Amino acid sequence: MCGIVGYIGSKDCSEVLVSALRKLEYRGYDSAGIAVFEDGKISVKKAQGRLDDLEKKMEYEGRPLGHAGIGHTRWATHGVPSETNSHPHRGGEKVTLVHNGIIENYKELKEMLIESGREFVSETDTEVAAQLLDSNYDGDPVKAIAKTLSQVEGSFALGILFSDRAGEIYAVRRESPLIVGVAEGESFIASDVPAIIKYTKNYYLLEHDEIAKLTEEGVTFCDLQGNPIEKELKVADWNEDAAEKGGYDHFMIKEIHEQPTAVKTTITPRIVEGMPNLEECNITIDALKDINQIYIVACGTAMHAGMVGKYVIEKLAKVPVIVDIASEFRYREPLIHKGDLVIIISQSGETADSLAAMRLAKSMGAQTLGIVNAKGSSIAREADMLIYTHAGPEIAVASTKAYMVQIAVMYLLSFELAFAKGFITDGECCRLTDTLQGIPALIEDTIDKTNDLCHDIAEKLTEAESLLYIGRGLDYALSMEGSLKLKEISYIHSEAYAAGELKHGTISLITEGMPVIAVATQNSLYDKTVSNIKEVRARGAMVVLVCDEKAKVGADVADYIIRVPQTDEVLMPMTAAVPLQLLAYYTSVLRGNDVDKPRNLAKSVTVE
Ligand code: M6R
């Protein structure tokens, strides 16, 4: 995720901007840049790579000296990581800006601007916003910003410099976050509080379509019509360490809350005119038509995302999918044929077993597709085709947001494959894609609605010796992830079981009070799962049922019911995953464990 900062005051602006950007490094980035008013002119410095690369460049070329400017770290979405694509972007003579988010209609706007004679240097949607604003500016910043916002679609936060207004910075946002910090004789903008906490704890939260004007004298706010707005000053009560966690106690819970944004950032650039479009990842409809066998190979949570993918691909696109644990795949002499598609899912892109499995598949003539979060990682570099997930860096060892974006990508791929194979019409494909686009809001809703209940239920789980997670179909795939999440951070043994398989042995484990987490979100399988729940409840199990908000649950079915927002049955894992993550999180917290760094585990497993 990109990071934005801005500063105006008496300090050395370049120094403040780079130091503030360092505090946003956790968001992940592949290039950085600043723009500073120097002797009344805007001086821009950018570099591909890390902030150290930008600093080296400025040591060599000279650092802009001034007291007002904006800065940016870029996590590439439109266009490769490069100096040209990095921010700040000039829109012509009048405007220079930084941007976080996505301008969804940038293609149409770009065509319109090109027709009017404008030329572009980068591949970014940001330059389109800069050029559009530049073309709308005739000396009145608020009018120009308002007109530009009426033309752009998407989610974005912008930090803006107008060449003829050397003592001013402007900021505006829609959906993407932006705060405005204030201190004596200086003010700031930033994507997140950690960037400014060294300088001030006082800040305002900029709301949708509000414009902030920063000068050395202070900050004023107005709406898009120019009407002044009074805002409530907030005071951050965090130290620098807490600020990096966004005020949360742990990275894991912060990352659970980041899921709606992560999903939105991952899917939005891959949807064109309502249809999934993976062309930028070298995946075309024609190529998909020829796929007759898919392998999904991964480890741990990433493998569980693959399990969701298997159910969805087979259901919608009717292509057989084999999911393999990477460490098994590489030694079991898999029957790969030329032209088979082997999908490798990995957050880190460096997991030794997954990387080796991918190399093996390639050597056997398979087409490989990497679904990877870490930019430039080994799997990302070596895969034939690549879909980056845009979760931003995941710090907690227990994967949450990376899983969520991995399954989001599995859905996009399944929809496109089903369409390519002729099993769904373009109308049905658009409907599914549209429903997927509504998921970020539902995830947010699920977190709000289930958080406290999950905390209360976790109190009942802390003393358990062992748990079972049960489900059928997609609910079984999700149960595997729920079970892994719980065991890795709570250190309580748990196992995921296909609900219908219990009676073939495992049900003998059920004793009085044993917790069983039953996931039953699939309408078509609901009654069957309820029968299995009754079997365990009759033997004394304490049942926690995760179901959709509209499910009709009989009085004797569960001890606790966690209801999640309803969506298309096939997409239910995206909301139902949330309470499973929260249950694991709170159980670990209540047991006093090191939630973000569980014992014996590493974030990236680069050894066999
Ligand atoms: O980086 P990867 O996605 O390849 O990592 C694979 C597993 O090690 C990982 O998903 C692990 O299971 C999670 N940390 C569990 O939460």
Side-chain angles (χ1 to χ4, degrees):
M1 288 172 292
C2 301
I4 288 180
V5 297
Y7 173 75
I8 187 158
S10 56
K11 296 192 174 80
D12 175 340
C13 183
S14 303
E15 206 179 293
V16 175
L17 293 175
V18 173
S19 133
L21 285 173
R22 284 198 187 281
K23 293 291 174 193
L24 297 181
E25 282 191 306
Y26 72 89
R27 298 165 75 87
Y29 67 105
D30 41 57
S31 55
I34 60 171
V36 174
F37 274 112
E38 189 175 29
D39 301 327
K41 288 216 169 79
I42 297 173
S43 167
V44 176
K45 298 284 171 194
K46 322 199 252 195
Q48 190 185 335
R50 313 298 295 170
L51 283 164
D52 287 344
D53 297 304
L54 177 66
E55 290 216 288
K56 264 186 218 137
K57 189 166 183 205
M58 292 199 288
E59 257 169 43
Y60 177 69
E61 289 181 1
R63 198 156 53 92
L65 294 174
H67 300 285
I70 50 180
H72 190 266
T73 44
R74 174 173 188 255
W75 173 273
T77 54
H78 296 69
V80 296
S82 69
E83 191 173 316
T84 313
N85 285 338
S86 59
H87 305 208
H89 282 282
R90 291 190 193 268
E93 295 297 309
K94 299 177 266 185
V95 166
T96 302
L97 60 76
V98 288
H99 165 222
N100 172 26
I102 291 166
I103 309 293
E104 285 168 14
N105 59 338
Y106 80 101
K107 280 194 183 138
E108 301 100 86
L109 293 171
K110 190 167 181 175
E111 274 165 26
M112 180 190 90
L113 288 160
I114 289 172
E115 265 172 34
S116 73
R118 287 186 169 253
E119 286 174 13
F120 285 79
V121 293
S122 80
E123 303 158 273
T124 63
D125 52 337
T126 303
E127 193 189 354
V128 175
Q131 296 239 21
L132 187 65
L133 182 58
D134 193 273
S135 72
N136 288 332
Y137 183 62
D138 60 5
D140 184 334
V142 172
K143 258 195 192 153
I145 292 171
K147 178 153 187 217
T148 305
L149 261 64
S150 72
Q151 294 168 291
V152 293
E153 288 164 18
S155 50
F156 46 81
L158 301 169
I160 307 159
L161 302 180
F162 292 96
S163 307
D164 58 349
R165 291 176 172 263
E168 298 169 8
I169 299 174
Y170 288 80
V172 67
R173 80 169 191 108
R174 190 178 287 168
E175 305 269 348
S176 302
L178 202 66
I179 59 157
V180 179
V182 284
E184 192 56 44
E186 54 188 2
S187 28
F188 306 78
I189 56 169
S191 298
D192 202 353
V193 177
I196 60 162
I197 204 104
K198 178 172 158 191
Y199 305 101
T200 180
K201 293 192 170 196
N202 299 328
Y203 68 97
Y204 297 95
L205 278 175
L206 201 61
E207 299 294 346
H208 301 282
D209 291 355
E210 286 179 352
I211 299 173
K213 174 184 173 185
L214 286 70
T215 63
E216 278 198 37
E217 284 76 52
V219 184
T220 53
F221 301 95
C222 68
D223 64 17
L224 295 181
Q225 287 71 45
N227 304 309
I229 298 174
E230 287 297 319
K231 293 188 66 70
E232 183 197 343
L233 186 66
K234 309 234 175 239
V235 182
D237 55 356
W238 314 327
N239 56 28
E240 281 191 50
D241 173 52
E244 276 180 23
K245 295 187 187 124
Y248 293 100
D249 291 341
H250 303 98
F251 282 109
M252 182 177 171
I253 188 72
K254 174 173 183 270
E255 287 161 4
I256 289 173
H257 281 265
E258 284 171 353
Q259 293 183 119
T261 306
V263 171
K264 201 181 284 180
T265 315
T266 299
I267 62 173
T268 308
R270 281 80 185 244
I271 296 172
V272 178
E273 290 169 7
M275 293 284 279
N277 186 319
L278 298 167
E279 274 173 27
E280 54 134 2
C281 315
N282 284 334
I283 302 168
T284 59
I285 295 275
D286 281 344
L288 289 174
K289 279 183 186 151
D290 294 335
I291 293 170
N292 295 315
Q293 173 70 57
I294 296 176
Y295 289 80
I296 302 179
V297 186
C299 303
T301 291
M303 191 270 290
H304 295 154
M307 286 300 296
V308 172
K310 171 187 167 72
Y311 279 95
V312 182
I313 292 172
E314 290 188 343
K315 183 181 167 90
L316 298 178
K318 318 288 179 215
V319 176
V321 180
I322 295 171
V323 179
D324 254 298
I325 295 169
S327 55
E328 288 295 309
F329 178 87
R330 58 187 292 200
Y331 295 116
R332 78 166 172 82
E333 300 183 22
L335 299 175
I336 303 281
H337 298 103
K338 204 164 186 307
D340 288 349
L341 176 66
V342 176
I343 302 176
I344 312 289
I345 308 179
S346 176
Q347 187 285 129
S348 63
E350 299 294 351
T351 301
D353 284 319
S354 305
L355 182 60
M358 186 180 78
R359 288 177 178 158
L360 174 69
K362 270 184 120 170
S363 72
M364 296 175 82
Q367 280 285 303
T368 55
L369 163 63
I371 297 178
V372 177
N373 195 45
K375 298 251 165 95
S377 55
S378 303
I379 295 174
R381 286 198 310 272
E382 294 184 30
D384 299 313
M385 295 165 284
L386 173 65
I387 305 179
Y388 273 126
T389 52
H390 297 308
E394 194 177 56
I395 312 286
V397 166
S399 186
T400 53
K401 62 175 181 170
Y403 172 76
M404 198 61 97
V405 293
Q406 285 161 355
I407 60 176
V409 166
M410 294 314 306
Y411 283 114
L412 277 182
L413 188 64
S414 313
F415 300 164
E416 188 163 22
L417 188 59
F419 173 66
K421 290 275 182 187
F423 288 107
I424 57 172
T425 61
D426 52 354
E428 178 60 359
C429 192
C430 276
R431 188 195 66 77
L432 285 166
T433 309
D434 189 49
T435 312
L436 180 63
Q437 284 187 286
I439 290 290
L442 293 187
I443 296 175
E444 209 164 308
D445 203 23
T446 312
I447 297 173
D448 287 351
K449 286 186 177 147
T450 63
N451 183 70
D452 294 354
L453 178 58
C454 287
H455 179 275
D456 294 349
I457 297 173
E459 282 179 348
K460 315 279 177 217
L461 303 182
T462 50
E463 297 305 319
E465 276 181 18
S466 184
L467 278 87
L468 279 183
Y469 282 72
I470 60 169
R472 284 170 178 259
L474 274 169
D475 291 329
Y476 172 47
L478 183 59
S479 296
M480 292 183 191
E481 176 54 11
S483 168
L484 174 63
K485 214 79 309 165
L486 184 95
K487 72 184 126 195
E488 70 176 324
I489 56 172
S490 75
Y491 314 147
I492 300 174
H493 169 258
S494 86
E495 225 176 307
Y497 241 77
E501 179 67 5
L502 281 175
K503 55 185 168 296
H504 297 289
T506 308
I507 201 162
S508 68
L509 289 174
I510 305 286
T511 51
E512 193 60 36
M514 179 177 182
V516 173
I517 317 288
V519 187
T521 67
Q522 302 294 295
N523 289 334
S524 45
L525 295 167
Y526 180 76
D527 290 338
K528 302 255 173 234
T529 308
V530 166
S531 301
N532 302 131
I533 294 173
K534 287 186 174 164
E535 288 161 12
V536 295
R537 205 145 183 259
R539 287 159 179 84
M542 179 193 89
V543 173
V544 178
L545 173 66
V546 179
C547 61
D548 81 52
E549 62 198 350
K550 299 206 174 115
K552 290 197 178 72
V553 184
D556 57 341
V557 171
D559 297 87
Y560 299 94
I561 302 174
I562 305 176
R563 291 183 180 274
V564 296
Q566 198 185 33
T567 178
D568 194 292
E569 184 175 277
V570 92
L571 287 160
M572 282 304 293
M574 298 199 77
T575 54
V578 171
L580 302 189
Q581 297 168 340
L582 291 170
L583 281 178
Y585 171 72
Y586 285 119
T587 307
S588 175
V589 171
L590 291 166
R591 282 169 64 97
N593 295 350
D594 188 348
V595 177
D596 288 332
K597 293 196 193 95
R599 69 187 179 205
N600 307 339
L601 293 176
K603 184 65 187 160
S604 173
V605 186
T606 53
V607 290
E608 244 199 89

